[in-house]
């Protein structure tokens, strides 16, 4: 029993730094976005999402050369390659605000903004809300931990109440038999 307490204490101490956030002392090493659009996803294939541009928020107004991005205009379709295959978080038919980077080899790239990453930037919903990138387990972890703790406590409480009731009945029976 004593070793379990020590193990639990060590786990809490070791996990504490990962649960805290850094306080603004982060240096992000990303270049500036070349363009920012509001667009609706019309197709998604692998790591690439294709947007129909609804509006252009920031434009580089470049030429069609390999070193400068092409000019983007509303109504145009643009293919965007996503880092780490994060296009899987985007839904066809949904509008997003997308910060685009021109990779110099003829393609736009972006990433999905992750709320827990201070350097994260890229694609958010059109209203500015972050996209939920947590899987089911991660987004429900608090509920699962609570259930793992609460359920055994409730079972223990019910067991104690049942044993107390049985003990009291046995004690009453013993008192009746003596009289």
């Amino acid at each position: 029993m004593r070793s379990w307490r020590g193990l639990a204490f060590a786990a809490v101490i070791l996990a504490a730094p990962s649960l805290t956030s850094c306080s603004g002392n982060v240096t992000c090493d990303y270049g500036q976005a070349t363009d920012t659009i509001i667009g609706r996803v019309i197709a998604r294939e692998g790591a690439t999402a294709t947007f129909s541009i609804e509006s252009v928020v920031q434009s580089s107004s470049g030429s069609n050369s390999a070193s400068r991005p092409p000019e983007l205009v509303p109504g145009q379709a643009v293919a965007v390659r996503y880092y780490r295959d994060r296009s899987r978080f985007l839904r066809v038919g949904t509008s997003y605000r997308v910060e685009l980077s021109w990779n110099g080899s003829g393609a736009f790239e972006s990433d999905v903004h992750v709320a827990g990453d201070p350097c994260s930037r890229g694609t958010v919903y059109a209203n500015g809300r972050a996209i939920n990138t947590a899987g089911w387990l991660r987004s429900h972890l608090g509920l699962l931990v609570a259930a793992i703790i609460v359920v055994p406590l409730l079972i223990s409480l019910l067991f104690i109440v049942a044993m107390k009731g049985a003990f009291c009945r046995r004690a009453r029976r013993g008192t009746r038999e003596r009289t």
Side-chain angles (χ1 to χ4, degrees):
M1 182 72 165
R2 192 176 183 121
S3 65
W4 283 104
R5 277 191 243 150
L7 183 62
F9 181 73
V12 169
I13 296 300
L14 292 174
S18 68
L19 298 175
T20 61
S21 63
C22 55
S23 59
N25 297 331
V26 177
T27 303
C28 300
D29 195 17
Y30 292 127
Q32 292 294 325
T34 56
D35 296 88
T36 302
I37 63 166
I38 304 287
R40 183 175 308 277
V41 175
I42 56 174
R44 201 182 76 211
E45 186 176 326
T48 302
T50 304
F51 293 86
S52 174
I53 300 174
E54 297 171 353
S55 65
V56 178
V57 178
Q58 172 190 331
S59 176
S60 62
S61 298
S63 64
N64 283 332
S65 70
S67 61
R68 291 185 50 100
E71 184 174 354
L72 299 173
V73 294
Q76 178 183 357
V78 62
V80 179
R81 190 181 71 75
Y82 277 82
Y83 305 122
R84 297 181 291 278
D85 196 31
R86 287 199 173 150
S87 65
R88 70 184 182 278
F89 298 116
L90 306 178
R91 301 290 168 247
V92 173
T94 303
S95 290
Y96 298 94
R97 177 185 174 104
V98 186
E99 288 185 4
L100 300 169
S101 296
W102 184 249
N103 69 7
S105 63
F108 281 108
E109 296 178 333
S110 189
D111 199 359
V112 172
H113 171 67
V114 179
D117 182 357
C119 289
S120 170
R121 63 172 214 203
T123 303
V124 294
Y125 287 107
N127 65 6
R129 202 176 81 234
I131 298 165
N132 183 9
T133 58
W136 185 90
L137 180 63
R138 188 170 160 200
S139 63
H140 292 85
L141 189 59
L143 182 60
L144 289 172
V145 169
I148 289 170
I149 292 171
V150 170
V151 169
L153 287 175
L154 288 174
I155 290 171
S156 299
L157 182 64
L158 289 172
F159 179 75
I160 290 169
V161 168
M163 294 307 295
K164 182 179 178 189
F167 180 74
C168 289
R169 282 192 295 276
R170 189 175 293 156
R172 276 189 241 130
R173 241 186 260 136
T175 308
R176 282 188 221 143
E177 290 174 1
R178 284 188 224 144
T179 56

